[in-house]
Amino acid sequence: CVALGLPSDVGQQPALWMWNGSSWTTIAPQIMPDISSRLAWLDGSKIVYESVERKLTILDISSGNTEVGPSGCCPAAAAGIREWYAIAGGRVLRFPFEKSFATQAATVDEFNFGKVTTLRVTGDGNVFTWTEPKWGYRSKGYFQERGKQRKRFQLIDDAIGAVLGPFDGF
């Protein structure tokens, strides 16, 4: 388990923490995560996060190696199909687990996303939940199963939302 630890003082930086089975230890990445970054576990010892420079960053926890990709946020992984996703310019982009930044990321066109502000995906990549901006710093939640219409998901308008599989429908 890896978590983003918030600083306890204004002058401090956020920290990455890893659970080793009995206690939490800090990870010292070369590239600092943003205080609002989400984390996604790719495979083995690789995680992806948003850096303070607002770049998608892959960190191999075992070796300390990092890869820096395009600007983006909110990484979410579908480990079952070895893809991960992130938001860039309000669009959802798709990356492979291997050589994620070797080619330009593709947009995800199978889903009816609007201007996405948060993103979650099931492990098999068949269901996404997301939020879109709404007037007054509020948001509207949606979910969609691959091949079906998107549906309004009001329960995540004012909360943190996630989709956990298997998906049985609503």
Side-chain angles (χ1 to χ4, degrees):
C1 176
V2 175
L4 180 68
L6 300 179
S8 57
D9 193 7
V10 174
Q12 295 179 332
Q13 298 288 333
L16 291 174
W17 292 85
M18 185 169 79
W19 180 253
N20 66 14
S22 60
S23 64
W24 289 96
T25 58
T26 58
I27 301 169
Q30 297 171 1
I31 299 171
M32 191 62 57
D34 185 74
I35 195 168
S36 63
S37 181
R38 300 207 195 287
L39 306 174
W41 199 285
L42 297 184
D43 60 353
S45 61
K46 291 184 179 180
I47 62 167
V48 61
Y49 61 89
E50 177 188 358
S51 74
V52 292
E53 292 86 19
R54 303 288 193 211
K55 301 278 188 179
L56 295 169
T57 304
I58 297 173
L59 169 64
D60 186 325
I61 297 167
S62 298
S63 68
N65 292 334
T66 57
E67 299 173 54
V68 178
S71 295
C73 72
C74 305
I81 58 171
R82 303 189 56 73
E83 289 184 347
W84 64 276
Y85 310 89
I87 302 168
R91 299 176 307 138
V92 178
L93 301 180
R94 171 184 293 144
F95 299 87
F97 271 26
E98 294 80 22
K99 300 180 182 178
S100 296
F101 305 135
T103 60
Q104 186 172 357
T107 56
V108 178
D109 298 323
E110 309 94 333
F111 293 84
N112 189 17
F113 297 116
K115 187 166 179 65
V116 180
T117 54
T118 63
L119 182 70
R120 303 281 192 271
V121 64
T122 55
D124 61 7
N126 283 324
V127 179
F128 280 87
T129 60
W130 68 92
T131 58
E132 297 178 5
K134 185 177 165 183
W135 182 84
Y137 299 104
R138 298 186 51 96
S139 61
K140 290 174 79 171
Y142 297 91
F143 77 94
Q144 185 177 349
E145 185 177 6
R146 186 181 304 276
K148 298 189 178 175
Q149 295 283 333
R150 84 179 190 167
K151 294 183 181 177
R152 190 72 170 84
F153 191 12
Q154 289 182 305
L155 294 174
I156 63 169
D157 286 359
D158 299 314
I160 296 173
V163 172
L164 305 174
F167 178 70
D168 294 326
F170 281 86

